[in-house]
Amino acid sequence: MEPGFKAFVKEKWGSYNGQGNNISSLKEKLKYLKADLKVWNKNVFGCLQTNQKQILKDIEILDVKDDNDVLEESDQIRRMELLSQLRMIDNKLNSLARQKARTNWYKFGDMNSKFYHTTIRWRRLKNEVKGVQVGGQWCEEPEVVRREAKALFENRFTATRDFGVNLGSVEFKSLPHDISLSMVSSFTEEEVKEAVWQCEGSKSPGPDGFNFTFIRNCWDVLKSDVMEAVNSFQETGVIPKGCNASFIALVPDDFLRQVHRVCQK
């Protein structure tokens, strides 16, 4: 990590005033920090391509002096420093190239290309239901397959007066009382930190988003606001519009196995 980076983040983070509840406030602070980091990056690193060209010119001058046997010891040290700087810049440029390639995939990955159609064709063949077992006989007639599939799901999800959904012999397991209480207890800082440290460091919401490596490196600065956002969600159960959200569907394993067997026959 670049020297002074954490100090810069700490200074800027303390100057922000987020708006709204704790979750919205955290989102706004991250937005402000992203803008300031772009300025910091330009001031510290400048234009990498321009710096690379200048370093190559300086190395070329020293190489010419070396060819003429007039390279002094100070010039040799200078040449080694320039080569080290050149390697660092090359690594940064390679990293940017990989990021831009990933961005291009986000933008153009689903366009009308050969790769896209090959992927869709493979997925369609993999998920295709060839036929079903009807009365002990294997049938591949499209109309019969559609009718049996429709009847299967209608039977499974037909509402009843006593339960609401008919799942046959599927039985739901329940959690012990102590574990049930732990599911609604307040999150601790250790739990949240452990969850952050278990995530892949390079994962981020987008090509220019904050990844988990950044969050771990700046945890001492961010943890107070992160914990306030987590506790706010636990108390209200509300994630403001514009923040990250996920939808989780729980489907019994027995039901999935039955559907899988029908699709594989």
Side-chain angles (χ1 to χ4, degrees), residues 50-223:
T50 302
N51 294 341
Q52 183 188 47
K53 291 179 181 179
Q54 184 59 47
I55 290 176
L56 289 173
K57 288 181 180 180
D58 293 341
I59 293 176
E60 184 179 0
I61 293 174
L62 293 175
D63 287 342
V64 172
K65 294 178 65 177
D66 189 23
D67 292 339
N68 297 327
D69 296 329
V70 292
L71 192 65
E72 300 179 355
E73 182 178 356
S74 59
D75 292 332
Q76 295 177 2
I77 297 175
R78 173 60 178 165
R79 186 175 184 277
M80 294 176 60
E81 293 176 350
L82 290 173
L83 289 174
S84 177
Q85 294 177 14
L86 182 62
R87 283 192 294 269
M88 292 178 59
I89 291 179
D90 287 340
N91 291 335
K92 289 183 174 66
L93 288 173
N94 289 334
S95 177
L96 286 175
R98 290 192 295 269
Q99 297 258 354
K100 290 179 180 180
R102 187 178 301 175
T103 304
N104 287 335
W105 167 253
Y106 291 148
K107 290 182 179 179
F108 310 117
D110 290 342
M111 292 187 67
N112 189 19
S113 63
K114 180 180 180 181
F115 171 78
Y116 171 73
H117 285 286
T118 302
T119 303
I120 293 299
R121 190 181 307 111
W122 174 84
R123 184 177 299 176
R124 184 183 296 117
L125 292 174
K126 180 182 177 182
N127 296 333
E128 184 179 4
V129 178
K130 303 294 184 181
V132 294
Q133 198 83 14
V134 181
Q137 299 292 327
W138 179 254
C139 180
E140 296 185 2
E141 290 292 332
E143 186 61 33
V144 177
V145 174
R146 284 194 293 267
R147 184 173 65 248
E148 291 297 320
K150 182 173 181 293
L152 171 68
F153 286 98
E154 283 182 344
N155 179 56
R156 290 297 180 187
F157 293 99
T158 299
T160 60
R161 293 182 179 180
D162 54 342
F163 188 69
V165 176
N166 177 20
L167 296 178
S169 60
V170 176
E171 295 182 1
F172 292 96
K173 295 181 179 180
S174 60
L175 295 174
H177 182 67
D178 57 336
I179 298 181
S180 298
L181 291 178
S182 68
M183 298 290 288
V184 295
S185 61
S186 299
F187 296 117
T188 64
E189 182 180 327
E190 290 74 17
E191 289 177 314
V192 176
K193 183 177 180 180
E194 182 181 1
V196 172
W197 258 252
Q198 288 178 350
C199 294
E200 172 62 35
S202 62
K203 299 296 184 181
S204 65
D208 61 346
F210 293 103
N211 59 26
F212 281 98
T213 297
F214 166 82
I215 296 176
R216 289 199 287 263
N217 289 332
C218 299
W219 179 250
D220 293 339
V221 179
L222 306 177
K223 65 180 180 181

